[in-house]
Amino acid sequence: MKIALFSDIHANLPALEAFFASLETQKPDAIYCLGDLVGYNIWPNEVINEIRRRGIPTIAGNYDFGIGRTSDDCGCAYKTDDEKANGAVSISYTNQIVGDDERAYLRTLPAHIKVEFQLNNDKLNLLLVHGSPRRINEYLFEDREEKSLLRIMQDSDADIMCFGHTHKPYHRILADEPSAGPSAPLPPGRASGFRHAINIGSVGKPKDGDPRGCYVLLTISETSNTTQKESIQAEFIRFTYDVEKAAHAVEDSPLPNAYAEALRIAK
């Protein structure tokens, strides 16, 4: 089974349209969206409605959670006063232009999706979250301490955990260890093996220096299991889109021009 996972569109309709075109060539068996449909650009309603029209199972991102409740807090971590001020403009503008039906949709999005596979007389749990299982706006960066990342996955019984929020894609394979201390056992019924932590990147606002959109194709085969690390494959797909169209839309709106430049340089 080929599963397409995408996230963090952030109201970038040109990027979303290019993503769907790329998806046509991949022909996945299932598609899931990991949230943050809105914010930072001018097309929140169009993005929401494109995803709704296709019936794509979607979880709430932190920005979706805030806008769904007409909040002035998107749950974002801004590092400077300028970033904080720009962020205030973005959430205010998004709240102004989001429609009632679209806001109601955001308000009812689930927090997590868990998919359980029954393979080889065993189960394989796929957990989809936006930030982390603990908090919608927790950042799980690639340099997260392995013990910490592993504990998060053990506590949520996730063999494969896919998430977004940082806009920086990566795939880490973690060797499973006892859940508490050197002599503690693994969770009941679980043999030692591997867990997969996969950040799926961003469709509409990459921050890894590559302005192309990014999504993941996760391949689960009939022989996939937790004891062989290569039996689960995650492929990062990059696609081009009309960055200038998206950037000019920002510049022609009340949004800060810094968001246009961020699209061009993917920062």
Side-chain angles (χ1 to χ4, degrees):
M1 173 173 280
K2 288 169 61 176
I3 303 170
L5 303 161
F6 70 107
S7 184
D8 296 280
I9 304 99
H10 284 299
N12 188 340
L13 185 62
L16 183 65
E17 291 173 338
F19 160 72
F20 284 132
S22 174
L23 211 58
E24 284 293 316
T25 68
Q26 301 294 339
K27 300 187 179 348
D29 299 298
I31 308 170
Y32 294 96
C33 177
L34 274 55
D36 269 5
L37 282 59
V38 302
Y40 305 119
N41 216 315
I42 71 168
W43 297 286
N45 296 310
E46 291 85 348
V47 165
I48 290 169
N49 289 321
E50 282 297 308
I51 288 173
R52 292 183 75 182
R53 185 168 66 84
R54 289 170 169 81
I56 298 172
T58 301
I59 61 177
N62 55 291
Y63 223 111
D64 307 322
F65 187 90
I67 294 298
R69 289 153 183 78
T70 324
S71 171
D72 61 359
D73 183 6
C74 67
C76 309
Y78 297 120
K79 296 178 181 178
T80 67
D81 289 341
D82 284 346
E83 287 184 3
K84 187 176 181 180
N86 288 342
V89 174
S90 174
I91 196 162
S92 174
Y93 175 71
T94 304
N95 267 319
Q96 289 173 34
I97 64 175
V98 164
D100 291 343
D101 288 346
E102 289 79 10
R103 194 187 304 276
Y105 168 76
L106 295 180
R107 195 162 51 247
T108 55
L109 289 174
H112 308 149
I113 293 176
K114 177 175 275 189
V115 183
E116 181 179 307
F117 295 88
Q118 296 287 343
L119 303 169
N120 309 307
N121 298 315
D122 198 1
K123 67 180 177 65
L124 187 67
N125 283 337
L126 167 63
L127 179 64
L128 309 178
V129 301
H130 180 71
S132 85
R134 304 187 300 190
R135 294 195 310 276
I136 195 171
N137 63 340
E138 182 175 12
Y139 292 87
L140 298 182
F141 290 107
E142 189 170 7
D143 61 358
R144 184 74 171 231
E145 185 182 7
E146 184 164 331
K147 287 183 179 179
S148 171
L149 193 55
L150 189 60
R151 174 60 65 85
I152 290 170
M153 296 185 68
Q154 288 174 339
D155 288 348
S156 55
D157 192 22
D159 301 306
I160 309 166
M161 184 173 70
C162 297
F163 48 96
H165 191 46
T166 72
H167 303 207
K168 295 182 177 182
Y170 67 84
H171 178 193
R172 287 180 64 183
I173 302 175
L174 310 172
D176 217 349
E177 297 173 353
S179 56
S183 60
L186 287 162
R190 181 175 178 97
S192 60
F194 301 93
R195 297 181 192 258
H196 297 255
I198 305 169
N199 189 307
I200 65 174
S202 170
V203 161
K205 204 175 188 300
K207 293 183 179 179
D208 61 344
D210 185 342
R212 296 177 299 168
C214 181
Y215 65 99
V216 160
L217 273 182
L218 181 68
T219 300
I220 306 291
S221 72
E222 61 183 8
T223 58
S224 292
N225 58 73
T226 59
T227 60
Q228 295 175 297
K229 63 168 65 176
E230 304 302 329
S231 70
I232 296 163
Q233 298 292 322
E235 180 183 2
F236 294 92
I237 310 293
R238 303 303 291 240
F239 61 91
T240 59
Y241 76 96
D242 192 341
V243 174
E244 283 306 310
K245 181 177 180 180
H248 287 318
V250 171
E251 292 168 339
D252 292 339
S253 78
L255 292 164
N257 287 347
Y259 294 144
E261 188 61 19
L263 293 175
R264 293 182 175 113
I265 64 175
K267 295 294 184 183

